[in-house]
Amino acid sequence: YAAQAWKFEVTAEPGRPSFFAPRGEITLARDGVVVAEMPLVAGKASATLELEAGQYELAYGYAGDRNFAQSISEKVTLT
């Protein structure tokens, strides 16, 4: 099967009301390996990856900044 383009979009929102939006980068890992580093712009980040047919485990990570704590998403399986 030929690779297909997949667009991944992330919104980083504070868990409590805040005047600030999270800053920095979101990392996207596929099967435990970082495959994209996406800068946050106004709390949003996106990346497009070429993926061949198969099964992948995906997870997002946020390193945190001076106002917001580090966060790692649950793993999601893409088939």
Side-chain angles (χ1 to χ4, degrees):
Y1 296 96
Q4 293 183 345
W6 289 78
K7 184 171 184 176
F8 298 91
E9 297 179 333
V10 179
T11 300
E13 297 178 337
R16 63 192 188 297
S18 175
F19 291 107
F20 304 103
R23 296 180 298 181
E25 291 183 335
I26 299 288
T27 56
L28 172 61
R30 179 183 67 203
D31 298 327
V33 177
V34 173
V35 293
E37 294 177 345
M38 305 170 285
L40 281 166
V41 178
K44 297 185 184 293
S46 67
T48 301
L49 300 177
E50 295 281 330
L51 297 175
E52 295 183 12
Q55 184 171 326
Y56 304 98
E57 256 189 13
L58 302 173
Y60 293 98
Y62 173 63
D65 65 20
R66 61 182 245 182
N67 296 305
F68 300 99
Q70 169 183 332
S71 179
I72 299 173
S73 74
E74 296 286 326
K75 293 178 183 175
V76 175
T77 301
L78 176 66
T79 304

